[in-house]
Amino acid sequence: MKKRIGSYPRVRIEGGGRAVVSQAGSVLLVETVRKAGLDTAISAALTPWRKPRAVHDPGKILLDVALAVALGGDCLADVAMLRAEPAVFGAVASDPTVSRLIDTLAAAGPKALTAIRAARAEARRHVWRLAGREAPDAGGTVTVDLDGVLVIAHSDKEDAAPTWKRTYGHHPLMGFVDHGPGGTGEPVAALLRPGNAGSNTATDHITAAQLALAQLPKKYRRGRRTLIRTDSAGGTHDFVAWLTRRGRWLSYSVGMVITEQVHQHVLKVPASAWTAAVEADGEIRDGAWVAELTGDVLDGWPKGMRLIVRKERPHPGAQLRLTDADGMRLTCFATNTSGRPIAELELRHRLRARAEDRIRAARSTGLRNLPLHRTAQNRIWLEIVQIALDLLAWMPMLALTGKARLWEPRRLRLRLFTTSGQFVTTGRRRILRLAGHWPWTSRITAALERLALLPNPG
C-alpha cells in the first residue's frame, strides 16, 4: 500500500529571487497607455496641479493608480503593486503623495474633473483612429448606453443614503460606448449621486448624456449617427425632448413604463398586427412578438417618436405583473428611428442588455465600493475607474483578436496580466522573458507585436 502524499507537490520557499517580475503581462496595459498617448495627455492636463520641484508628475501618479485598479486593486494603497516593479512601471509615488494628489484634485472640483476628461477624450479619438475597422464607430454610428449602478457603502461616507433596493450607498449614473457583438465597451460618463437619487430623474440623464457626448469625436456629438439607449428610467418627456432638440437631433431608443393608457392600446392591437421578434442571428425568437402603437398614446411626445411594444411568454418561475396581458409579459420602448422594421428596432433595443456586462466589469474594476470618504474625492476615484476601464477596453481592441476581444477584466487578469517573467540583460538591452509554460504567453507576445506596429502618438 502506497502512502498518500497529498494532491499537490511540496515546494521549498525561499526569498530573494532576482530579476523575477510578477504581473509581467501588465506590459500590455503600459504599451496601450503609450500608444494611446494617454500618459502625455493627462500629464499636460494636470500641469496646473504640479508643485514646484515636485519629484512625481501628477499625471503619472493618477495613471499609476488607474493601472493598479485595472490589475484588480480597489483602493489607493494598491498602487504598491506597481511600486514593487519599477523596471516595468518606473518610479511610483508613495502612498502619502498619492493621497495628497487626490485631495488636491478633489479640492479643485470641476476644474480638475474637466481637465482629466478632456485628456481622456483626446486619447479616445486617437485610439479609435488606430483601431480602424475594429473601432466602435467603424460602421459610421456610435451607440451609448446609460444605466444606473448601485454601489454599496460599508461605512458612513458622504452622500451615502438608503437605496431603492433597501441597501445603503451611492447610485451613480454611467454611460458606456457599445463595441458591438465583436467587442466589449468603454466608459464615457460617470455621474456620482447619493443612494436615494431617483432612477428616472431627467436632469441626471441629461447631465450624463452631456458627459458622454463630450467624450466622443466631435462629429458624433450631434446628429442621428449617435444612438442613446436607456432603460425605462430614461423614458421621460424632458429627456426625450432634450435628445431631439433642434440642433442636437440625436437618435434614441429608450424604455417606457407600461402605463394604463399603453396597456389599453395593447389590448386593442389586432392579432394580424403582431410581428415575430427576432434574435441576433436572424432566427425567430420563440414565443415573442412586437407591434407598433399609434394614436393618442403619442400625444405630448416629440414629433417622430415611435412606440413599440413586445409581448413574450414569461420564463419559467417569472411572476406576471398587473400591466401584463393574456399571460404575456409586456415591455415597451420608444425610438425616433424611421424606415426600419420594428422587429429589427426591438432587437437593437434589447441588445442594451450588454450594458449589464459593462457594469459587471466596472464592479470588478474599482466600483465594488467607493473607498474614499468625501464625495469630491470619490468623484476623482470614478475618473480613475473609468481610465482603468478605458485601458481594459482599448488594449483588446488594439491588440487582441477572436474571442479574446470579449474577455472581461477578471479573465484578462487571470490569463494575461498575472503571467510571470524574468528580466535578462544582453547587449546593453533589458529583455523581459515571459514564462514559456504559460498557455497564453504566445497570445501576449502576439498582442505586444501588434501594439509595437502601431504609430506612436504625435
Side-chain angles (χ1 to χ4, degrees), residues 315-334:
H315 300 295
Q319 298 293 319
L320 291 174
R321 299 167 295 193
L322 292 176
T323 53
D324 294 331
D326 299 327
M328 296 285 186
R329 172 61 52 85
L330 297 180
T331 56
C332 185
F333 73 97

Side-chain angles (χ1 to χ4, degrees), residues 157-191:
K157 294 182 173 67
E158 186 178 7
D159 284 336
T163 72
W164 60 276
K165 278 197 172 182
R166 299 184 180 181
T167 56
Y168 182 79
H170 298 82
H171 188 192
L173 184 60
M174 301 196 68
F176 301 91
V177 169
D178 184 21
H179 284 194
T184 55
E186 55 193 273
V188 285
L191 179 64

Side-chain angles (χ1 to χ4, degrees), residues 282-351:
E283 296 294 324
I284 298 296
R285 184 176 176 86
D286 185 44
W289 299 266
V290 294
E292 184 170 0
L293 304 183
T294 57
D296 59 357
V297 72
L298 297 175
D299 291 350
W301 291 94
K303 183 179 179 181
M305 189 178 94
R306 304 174 68 184
L307 193 61
I308 299 171
V309 65
R310 184 186 76 191
K311 65 177 182 179
E312 185 173 20
R313 296 193 189 101
H315 300 295
Q319 298 293 319
L320 291 174
R321 299 167 295 193
L322 292 176
T323 53
D324 294 331
D326 299 327
M328 296 285 186
R329 172 61 52 85
L330 297 180
T331 56
C332 185
F333 73 97
T335 182
N336 60 346
T337 302
S338 60
R340 294 174 63 177
I342 58 175
E344 182 181 331
L345 294 174
E346 191 275 331
L347 172 63
R348 184 186 69 175
H349 183 76
R350 197 184 336 132
L351 293 178

